[in-house]
Amino acid sequence: MNKHATAATSAAQVEIPLPAGVNAPGFGSDVVAETLRDLDIPYVALNPGASYRGLHDSLVNYLGNERPQMLLCLHEESAVAIAQGYAKVAGRAMGAIVHSNVGLMHATMAIFNAWCDRMPVVVLGATGPVDAAKRRPWIDWIHTARDQGALVRGYVKWDDQPASPAAAREALIRAANIANALPQGPVYVNLDAEMQEAKLAEPLPPIDVARFRPRVSAAPDPDMVKEAAERLRQAKSPVILAGRASRKLEPWHARVALAEALNARVLTDMKIGASFPGDHPLHVGAPGMLLPDADGLAAIGEADVILSLDWVDLGGAMKAAKSGAFVISASLDQTIHNGWSMDHQALPPVDMLIAADPDQVAIALSKLIGAPAKPVALPAAPRAMAKPASSDTLQVEHLAYAVREAIGTRDVSLTHLPLSWNGAWWPFRHPLDFLGSDGGGGIGGGPGISVGAALALKGSGRLPVAICGDGDYLMGVTALWTAAHYRIPLLMVIANNRSFFNDELHQERVAQMRGRPAQNRWIGQRIDDPRVDLVAMARAQGFDSEEPVSTVEALAKALRRGAEVVAKGGRYFIDSVVTPGYADSGPDQRAGDGKKG
Ligand SMILES: Cc1ncc(C[n+]2csc(CCOP(=O)(O)OP(=O)(O)O)c2C)c(N)n1
Ligand SMILES: [Mg+2]
C-alpha cells in the first residue's frame, strides 16, 4: 500500500456496543468473526438479515464491533460497491455481508462491477439451515437454496459453503488470499445458519493465520524480461499501453522512466485508475472510455513494438488500429477467464506473454533499460484546462472547469466520473488522482464506489470528489446515508441532464439508421415531469447541500462552499443542472457508437 492508503481508513465508530463480557468463542459464528479479525479485514459493509444473525451477534457482542467495524448500508448493492471503492484506494479487500438469497440477489450487479474492475471484495452470505430437519417453517425454507453460489459463480474468483466452523475458518482465509491475489476480484463464502448458531462442542485448535498467508511473488521471468527489453530497445516507434495498475508510486515512476528511456508513446484508459501522467509529452491523445481516441489509435497503428501492461481490451484496440506490431503483453488476467462473462474481451494477437504482475514487469523493464538520458521535468501543476466558451447554460465541460478551479492546488481524488466526461479535461499526475470507472458498466455503482473510496482516503489529505450522472445517482443514492452515518467526507456533484442521456443517443442513432424521427429519442429516457428533487434526496440522508445550480457562476460558488465543508470532514452535495450533450473525445467515443449501454 502506498503512503496515502496506509494513512487512511477510519470510519467514525458511531455504533458502540455495551460490553458483553465475552472473551472466548462460544459459537460457530464467533469463529467466523474472529477469523475476519485475524485476516485484518477492517470493515464489513452490510445490510442485515436473519440468515446471518449468528454472525451479526458475534461481530457486535464478541468482537465489540471493532476490526471489523460494521458499515450499515441501505441496499446490498451499495454494500458491495463501497467495498469495491475501498479496494480501489487501499488495494486490498474489505468485507460485505449479504442476507441469504435475496440479499445476494441485490448484490449481484455490484459483484459483477467489482469482478470486471478486478477489485477484491470478500462477500459473505448465508443459507439454511442446510439440514432441512432444523429449518423453521416457511422463512428458513425461502432462505435456503441448493446452490446459492451459482448466482454469482460466473463473476467471482472462488466460492464455498463450509460445513463446520473449522471449515469456515479455512474458507475465509482462502477467500481473502484468493481475492487479494492478482488478478484481484470478488469471492463469495456462504455460511450455513445452523453452523453459525451452533454452540462449539469444544474450542477449535488455535490457528496461526499468518502461516496460511504467504508472501506472494508474481514477478516476471527474467529471460522474458531481457528479451522484451531488447525488443523495446530496438523498436523505432514503441508504444506502451498503460492499463490496469496498482495505486503505488514505485511502478508509476517505473512506467514514466521506461517510457522516457525508450522514447515510447503512452496511452491511458478512463475505465481504470490513473496509470501515467496525462500531460506528459509522451502521453498520446485523451484517454477514452471505450477505445483510444484517433491520436491513440494512430500511435498504435504506427507502432512496431507494443508493450501492453494489462490493457483492458488489447484485442479491440489492436483491431481498431489495424496494428501489425510485435506485442509484448504483461498480464495475469488470463488466469481468471472463465467463459461465463465475456469481460476477457477479444483475443489479442500477442507474441510474448509475460504472465506476471504488470507493475513488476514495468519495474523490471525499467531497471534493465536504465534511466532516461534526459528525464522530463513536468511543471508542478498539471496542464490547465482551456476555459470553455461562456454560455447561458451549463455544460459538463463548464462543470469540469469549475471543479478544477474550485479545488485549486488541493490534492483531489476523483472517485467517479460521468459518462459525459472527456479524458482530455483533467490530466492525472498521481495514481490516486483518478480511480477508474465502475468496471462492469453497471449504472448505480458511482455513489457506493465513491463512498468506499472516500472511506479509504480518510486521513490521506486528499479531497474525495465524485461526479456522477443523475441516472447513476438515482440508482445508487442510498449509499450517501452510509457516508453521513459514519462521517465519511465526500463532495458529490451531479452532472444532471435529467435523462438517461446515453440511451437517448442510442435511440437517435437507431432512428437515423432506420430513417425515423430522431426527435423522439427522449421518450422513455427523460427523467422529468416531475423533476426528481436530487437535493432533497441528499439532504434527507444527511448531506449538506443547496439549491440546484444551472449557471457557471453559481456552480463555481457552490463548489467553493462544498470543498470547504468537505475539507473540514463534512459531506456536500451539488446538483448541477447541465445541458444534455457528450464531449467528443474522438471517434467511437460518442454514445451513438455504443459508448456504453
Ligand atoms: C444497471 C444498468 N441499467 C441500465 C444501463 C444502461 N445505461 C447505460 S448508460 C445509461 C444512462 C445513465 O444515465 P446517467 O447516469 O444520468 O448518465 P447520462 O447518460 O445521462 O450521461 C443507462 C441507463 C446500465 N448501464 N446499467
Ligand atoms: Mg443523466
Side-chain angles (χ1 to χ4, degrees):
M1 282 210 295
N2 57 50
K3 182 171 83 94
H4 290 277
T6 36
T9 68
S10 72
Q13 220 208 346
V14 292
E15 294 151 332
I16 301 169
L18 293 172
V22 187
N23 48 24
F27 299 89
S29 58
D30 289 347
V31 173
V32 172
E34 202 168 63
T35 310
L36 292 174
R37 177 173 285 178
D38 288 344
L39 287 166
D40 210 15
I41 296 216
Y43 301 107
V44 283
L46 56 81
N47 185 266
S51 59
Y52 72 87
R53 63 186 192 177
L55 177 58
H56 200 115
D57 170 72
S58 298
L59 291 165
V60 174
N61 288 318
Y62 178 44
L63 296 189
N65 194 22
E66 261 185 281
R67 297 185 302 118
Q69 182 189 342
M70 290 181 174
L71 301 177
L72 178 58
C73 299
L74 305 187
H75 195 294
E76 289 82 358
E77 199 172 279
S78 59
V80 175
I82 285 171
Q84 182 189 352
Y86 176 87
K88 276 174 175 286
V89 174
R92 67 192 182 106
M94 58 171 258
I97 317 182
V98 297
H99 183 39
S100 62
N101 294 345
V102 287
L104 185 64
M105 288 170 180
H106 261 183
T108 49
M109 186 196 87
I111 296 174
F112 182 69
N113 270 346
W115 163 264
C116 294
D117 200 24
R118 305 291 184 255
M119 286 298 149
V121 182
V122 173
V123 184
L124 303 182
T127 191
V130 171
D131 180 354
K134 304 264 172 57
R135 279 177 217 151
R136 295 173 296 163
W138 186 64
I139 190 70
D140 279 349
W141 293 79
I142 59 168
H143 283 170
T144 310
R146 165 147 346 277
D147 181 11
Q148 203 194 81
L151 277 173
V152 293
R153 193 160 298 132
Y155 42 97
V156 294
K157 283 181 76 183
W158 183 74
D159 76 289
D160 195 14
Q161 188 176 309
S164 70
R169 190 164 65 178
E170 194 169 312
L172 285 173
I173 299 170
R174 195 190 299 271
N177 287 353
I178 291 176
N180 288 319
L182 290 175
Q184 296 180 314
V187 291
Y188 181 58
V189 180
N190 191 13
L191 303 165
D192 178 10
E194 194 204 350
M195 184 278 291
Q196 295 176 55
E197 296 191 20
K199 265 197 170 145
L200 290 180
E202 53 190 45
L204 257 62
I207 185 171
D208 180 1
V209 170
R211 290 291 341 269
F212 298 91
R213 310 204 77 199
R215 288 193 300 130
V216 186
S217 168
D221 172 63
D223 290 340
M224 286 279 253
V225 175
K226 231 191 233 166
E227 199 184 321
E230 208 37 54
R231 287 269 181 188
L232 286 162
R233 255 197 221 108
Q234 281 164 19
K236 291 199 174 56
S237 49
V239 161
I240 298 174
L241 300 176
R244 291 190 185 106
S246 74
R247 300 302 93 209
K248 292 177 189 156
L249 272 173
E250 190 197 357
W252 171 285
H253 291 316
R255 286 187 292 272
V256 173
L258 184 63
E260 291 178 6
L262 294 169
N263 197 29
R265 288 181 287 177
V266 182
L267 275 72
T268 57
D269 181 352
M270 292 299 281
K271 287 189 282 301
I272 52 179
S275 56
F276 193 86
D279 55 351
H280 190 286
L282 289 168
H283 187 278
V284 195
M289 194 53 211
L290 193 71
L291 267 177
D293 69 359
D295 292 342
L297 286 179
I300 297 175
E302 288 156 17
D304 53 350
V305 179
I306 289 174
L307 171 65
S308 165
L309 298 171
D310 210 7
W311 191 256
V312 173
D313 183 10
L314 177 59
M318 297 285 294
K319 197 169 169 188
K322 298 190 178 65
S323 167
F326 184 90
V327 178
I328 304 160
S329 169
S331 180
L332 285 165
D333 209 54
Q334 61 285 349
T335 60
I336 60 165
H337 298 166
N338 66 25
W340 182 88
S341 165
M342 299 291 144
D343 70 294
H344 49 54
Q345 312 291 329
L347 186 68
V350 171
D351 301 280
M352 284 178 72
L353 174 61
I354 308 182
D357 172 4
D359 275 11
Q360 294 298 320
V361 174
I363 291 169
L365 280 170
S366 159
K367 276 191 188 143
L368 264 190
I369 287 172
K374 263 201 233 146
V376 174
L378 291 174
R383 186 186 62 227
M385 182 177 164
K387 190 169 183 192
S390 59
S391 125
D392 295 342
T393 55
L394 201 59
Q395 283 142 30
V396 182
E397 194 172 358
H398 296 113
L399 168 60
Y401 188 81
V403 175
R404 287 198 64 180
E405 288 280 291
I407 60 109
T409 54
R410 259 189 269 247
D411 278 343
V412 160
S413 278
L414 295 170
T415 58
H416 189 77
L417 289 173
L419 298 173
S420 46
W421 198 262
N422 180 331
W425 291 338
W426 196 322
F428 306 125
R429 284 290 191 82
H430 185 281
L432 286 172
D433 283 355
F434 173 56
L435 303 177
S437 82
D438 45 56
I443 296 291
I449 288 169
S450 297
V451 171
L455 166 65
L457 287 165
K458 212 175 162 187
S460 69
R462 284 183 164 259
L463 195 79
V465 178
I467 309 178
C468 297
D470 50 325
D472 189 29
Y473 171 72
L474 284 166
M475 282 200 206
V477 64
T478 57
L480 271 66
W481 181 84
T482 302
H485 188 57
Y486 297 99
R487 320 288 190 260
I488 299 166
L490 177 61
L491 177 59
M492 179 161 281
V493 186
I494 305 302
N496 182 7
N497 51 22
R498 294 185 174 135
S499 171
F500 291 108
F501 184 70
N502 178 72
D503 288 283
E504 284 198 43
L505 295 183
H506 280 294
Q507 294 321 124
E508 178 176 314
R509 179 92 169 167
V510 172
Q512 278 162 354
M513 287 188 300
R514 295 178 176 181
R516 296 173 181 177
Q519 298 90 310
N520 289 336
R521 69 178 197 184
W522 61 275
I523 293 172
Q525 310 275 4
R526 289 275 164 95
I527 313 170
D528 214 341
D529 188 23
R531 283 187 180 160
V532 185
D533 191 339
L534 306 188
V535 169
M537 293 174 93
R539 279 186 172 144
Q541 298 183 86
F543 271 55
D544 287 334
S545 189
E546 56 187 89
E547 288 313 293
V549 292
S550 49
T551 65
V552 178
E553 295 70 35
L555 174 62
K557 282 186 196 150
L559 283 164
R560 276 196 292 276
R561 279 190 288 271
E564 285 315 311
V565 170
V566 178
K568 289 191 191 119
R571 288 142 295 284
Y572 205 81
F573 178 86
I574 300 171
D575 175 3
S576 95
V577 180
V578 296
T579 314
Y582 275 2
D584 185 3
S585 57
D588 294 317
Q589 294 299 316
R590 280 180 179 276
D593 283 328
K595 181 175 172 113
K596 231 180 170 186

